[in-house]
Amino acid sequence: MIRDIQDEILRLKKEKDVCILAHSYQAREITEIADFTGDSYALSVKAATVPHRNVLMCGVRFMAETVKILSPEKRVYLANAIAGCPMAEQMDRDMIAAVKEQYPEYTVVAYINTTAELKTICDVCVTSSSAVKIVKKMKGDKILFIPDCNLGRFVAEKVPEKQFKLLQGGCPIHARVRQQDVIKAREQHPDALLLVHPECQPEVFEQADYVGSTSGIMEYAKNASANEFIIGTEISIAEHLQYDCPQKKFYPLTKELICPNMKATTLVDVLSALRGNSGEEITMDEQTRMAAKKCIDEMIRLGG
Ligand code: 13P
Ligand code: SF4
């Protein structure tokens, strides 16, 4: 049954010249039919270069918006229209415009998990895998980091020579994890390395053996000589790793690390979107696109 749906998807995407991009959190049956799977940074870089006329994003809305910003000539679709990232909706343009007035000498660094509209008034975007590198390289040394204060704290610790202003935003899923969860997981799996996403709170990431993006965590676990890992990010990453490395053992840091938005997209949604029956085409006025593009271009320039 799954194989039949996948075969139909492969046939349709070829016929309709569609590139399917999938975030690393997507289910295995989706990553299997995707042209490319990766973290937010890798997806952004890929989006700028794929030759297809159409792109179908299996991930969340800001990821599809990023593709549209970089490739306006393509028709870009979000496979399931309800898949948004709650963090991306936490701060809007007016709110940040007001904060900027208070701190005019600060460079605004926006996590890519923001709306296209908010990006229009930011200076540079970052992703979890590129944030430290970009903040180190960029000119300004006073940084207003939005919206994720946990990622902001992580970057601030790695770049102590710069001054940071953080606001109260972040991922509601990763922020649930507490130090107590780390203590419990370490007790249960004393030989395992702890790998976490920087959207977790400092009390969690400061205990980790490795902190990185979804792709960074996967790469680290695959290449490490260790055999057991506690995975502190969305539960799908532990599942993918267990599938890819059956000889190693992967334990989710907590079973609550489930992002319903990333789980919203199903294989049937992908088929239905390719048939034109669901999904949503991303549209954007040219002024917004051009203004948002500046900070994504800057991210790719400094992150490369
Ligand atoms: P990555 O930068 O690892 O892709 O993370 C995106 C995200 O939404 C994590 O919750
Ligand atoms: Fe957004 Fe958090 Fe879900 Fe990532 S895990 S898409 S940051 S809500």
Side-chain angles (χ1 to χ4, degrees):
M1 175 71 176
I2 288 179
R3 194 61 251 174
D4 293 341
I5 300 173
Q6 287 181 320
D7 286 346
E8 181 60 2
I9 288 172
L10 294 175
R11 189 189 70 75
L12 276 173
K13 84 179 174 78
K14 197 166 171 201
E15 181 189 298
K16 299 191 170 185
D17 194 25
V18 181
C19 171
I20 299 183
L21 297 179
H23 185 262
S24 336
Y25 285 158
Q26 294 294 295
R28 175 148 299 270
E29 62 259 32
I30 293 178
T31 63
E32 281 171 353
I33 49 83
D35 293 271
F36 181 78
T37 302
D39 66 8
S40 307
Y41 187 78
L43 288 175
S44 308
V45 172
K46 197 72 188 172
T49 58
V50 293
H52 308 68
R53 278 184 294 122
N54 308 288
V55 174
L56 181 63
M57 174 59 74
C58 302
V60 289
R61 181 170 297 271
F62 76 81
M63 296 174 179
E65 283 187 352
T66 304
V67 179
K68 188 67 187 176
I69 290 167
L70 291 170
S71 302
E73 72 291 353
K74 296 189 204 304
R75 298 188 77 162
V76 179
Y77 301 86
L78 179 61
N80 184 328
I82 67 155
C85 166
M87 171 169 18
E89 308 292 334
Q90 283 166 351
M91 292 175 193
D92 67 15
R93 200 175 182 280
D94 290 349
M95 175 189 170
I96 296 305
V99 180
K100 272 175 62 147
E101 271 184 31
Q102 272 180 278
Y103 302 104
E105 71 281 25
Y106 278 68
T107 303
V108 184
V109 176
Y111 193 20
I112 200 162
N113 300 40
T114 41
T115 61
E117 208 202 3
L118 178 51
K119 286 182 178 88
T120 61
I121 57 160
C122 299
D123 297 300
V124 58
C125 273
V126 295
T127 65
S128 60
S129 58
S130 60
V132 172
K133 183 179 184 183
I134 290 172
V135 169
K136 270 188 183 159
K137 266 193 183 174
M138 59 187 263
K139 274 209 198 97
D141 55 7
K142 288 186 171 162
I143 290 153
L144 174 64
F145 193 101
I146 59 164
D148 189 344
C149 61
N150 293 328
L151 178 62
R153 284 197 188 98
F154 174 71
V155 177
E157 282 183 18
K158 297 278 176 200
V159 193
E161 65 277 18
K162 301 206 178 190
Q163 207 177 311
F164 288 77
K165 281 250 173 297
L166 307 173
L167 302 180
Q168 270 314 310
C171 168
I173 313 302
H174 286 81
R176 278 183 201 153
V177 187
R178 309 311 303 245
Q179 192 176 24
Q180 214 33 51
D181 297 309
V182 174
I183 294 168
K184 202 167 143 201
R186 288 245 197 235
E187 267 169 19
Q188 284 171 347
H189 310 291
D191 297 328
L193 294 182
L194 173 65
L195 318 184
V196 312
H197 198 279
E199 287 173 10
C200 289
Q201 304 202 43
E203 66 186 47
V204 174
F205 70 64
E206 280 166 1
Q207 309 297 317
D209 298 292
Y210 172 82
V211 183
S213 75
T214 49
S215 302
I217 289 174
M218 291 183 80
E219 231 166 273
Y220 185 95
K222 286 178 185 175
N223 296 328
S225 54
N227 281 318
E228 292 184 52
F229 304 87
I230 301 162
I231 305 296
T233 191
E234 216 277 341
I235 207 151
S236 54
I237 299 298
E239 291 165 359
H240 289 313
L241 280 167
Q242 195 58 73
Y243 186 92
D244 292 343
C245 311
Q247 74 288 2
K248 297 186 175 188
K249 287 196 171 131
F250 299 93
Y251 315 105
L253 175 50
T254 90
K255 296 211 165 93
E256 286 180 21
L257 269 165
I258 297 174
C259 175
N261 285 279
M262 278 290 184
K263 293 266 183 278
T265 304
T266 64
L267 193 64
V268 172
D269 289 333
V270 179
L271 178 61
S272 173
L274 283 171
R275 286 177 170 161
N277 295 333
S278 66
E280 181 183 322
E281 180 168 4
I282 303 293
T283 55
M284 203 175 291
D285 67 78
E286 191 56 11
Q287 206 182 339
T288 302
R289 189 189 73 77
M290 287 303 289
K293 185 171 183 290
K294 278 196 211 134
C295 65
I296 295 179
D297 284 345
E298 193 60 354
M299 171 184 88
I300 294 175
R301 187 181 74 80
L302 293 168

